[in-house]
Amino acid sequence: MYIPEHFAETRPEVLHRIIREHPLGVLVTHGSGGLDANHLPFEIDPAQGPHGLLSAHVARANPVWQSCPAGTPVMVVFRGAEAYISPSWYPSKHEAHRQVPTWNYEVVHAHGILAIRDDERFVRGLVARLTRRHEASEPRPWKMGDAPPDFIDGMLRNIVGIEIAITSLVGKIKLSQNKETRDRLGAADMLDARGSHELAASMRGAGQGRESG
């Protein structure tokens, strides 16, 4: 990933936050059949290891857990807030007309080592934690106990757990830091008006850089 210095993000707490808030990651693997990508909701435990631990589950029928055995190097891509930025949103454009369209975004590449967790206790605990987290905002959160035990047992037998011990985190946050403050804030205002509140808030908090990229 190309990362100009002014778009580089190295703070672990920021990278972990993006993963927590945007947990659907793209697991990129390179097995005997070549490159593959699987889209999976991940749980992150920042306290495990030097960079954190990712956990997820895949369908037993998914060949990824057999084609990429334990110890395989992998990468997971997490994309945060993103949106198109029109040059018309920059106040300076209307004075000098020296602006072009771009795309702002937040992204984290988590590199790590894959481990397979094909045991019922692990997947049951993982599914329970993921359910509690993602059902928390529901008026009546669904829980595993709402379904018949034999149904849940059957579903759990059809999935396999995976863990990824993160060896490095690479972050890029492109928030118009290379623009004048008035242009960055003007674009943020237009994003807010269009409902992209998360990216707008990040842009307002971004520092100002000196280079373009």
Side-chain angles (χ1 to χ4, degrees):
M1 178 167 60
Y2 170 59
I3 310 179
E5 183 178 354
H6 48 277
F7 295 148
E9 180 55 72
T10 60
R11 292 170 293 176
E13 66 275 15
V14 174
L15 303 179
H16 289 153
R17 174 190 60 78
I18 293 173
I19 293 173
R20 283 195 308 272
E21 295 178 358
H22 302 272
L24 184 67
V26 182
L27 171 63
V28 181
T29 57
H30 191 193
S32 58
L35 284 169
D36 192 16
N38 284 271
H39 302 256
L40 309 170
F42 282 88
E43 176 188 56
I44 184 167
D45 184 349
Q48 293 292 322
H51 303 286
L53 179 72
L54 294 170
S55 302
H57 58 81
V58 300
R60 186 170 294 278
N62 188 331
V64 66
W65 68 279
Q66 292 176 316
S67 62
C68 296
T72 299
V74 299
M75 178 176 70
V76 186
V77 178
F78 295 93
R79 193 187 75 180
E82 51 82 22
Y84 171 78
I85 305 296
S86 169
S88 299
W89 300 351
Y90 300 135
S92 68
K93 180 266 182 189
H94 304 283
E95 300 168 0
H97 301 282
R98 298 178 64 85
Q99 298 288 356
V100 295
T102 191
W103 209 284
N104 280 359
Y105 56 89
E106 302 172 314
V107 68
V108 179
H109 290 187
H111 299 260
I113 303 300
L114 181 69
I116 307 300
R117 298 296 305 270
D118 188 13
D119 65 86
E120 189 270 350
R121 183 176 180 181
F122 176 85
V123 295
R124 184 179 292 272
L126 174 62
V127 170
R129 292 192 301 274
L130 288 171
T131 300
R132 282 195 299 270
R133 177 183 173 191
H134 297 294
E135 284 284 326
S137 61
E138 293 296 315
R140 297 181 61 184
W142 183 89
K143 57 185 182 299
M144 293 172 67
D146 290 346
D150 59 334
F151 173 77
I152 293 296
D153 292 346
M155 296 296 290
L156 294 177
R157 285 194 293 269
N158 288 323
I159 61 177
V160 176
I162 63 171
E163 286 184 329
I164 299 169
I166 302 173
T167 55
S168 68
L169 287 169
V170 180
K172 182 176 182 179
I173 297 184
K174 184 174 179 291
L175 301 171
S176 298
Q177 301 98 315
N178 55 321
K179 303 296 182 183
E180 294 181 37
T181 299
R182 61 172 179 157
D183 287 338
R184 176 166 50 84
L185 297 180
D189 288 343
M190 294 303 291
L191 285 174
D192 247 342
R194 286 161 169 75
S196 296
H197 306 303
E198 181 182 358
L199 186 62
S202 294
M203 288 175 62
R204 290 193 180 96
Q208 194 173 358
R210 295 189 299 271
E211 305 174 33
S212 62

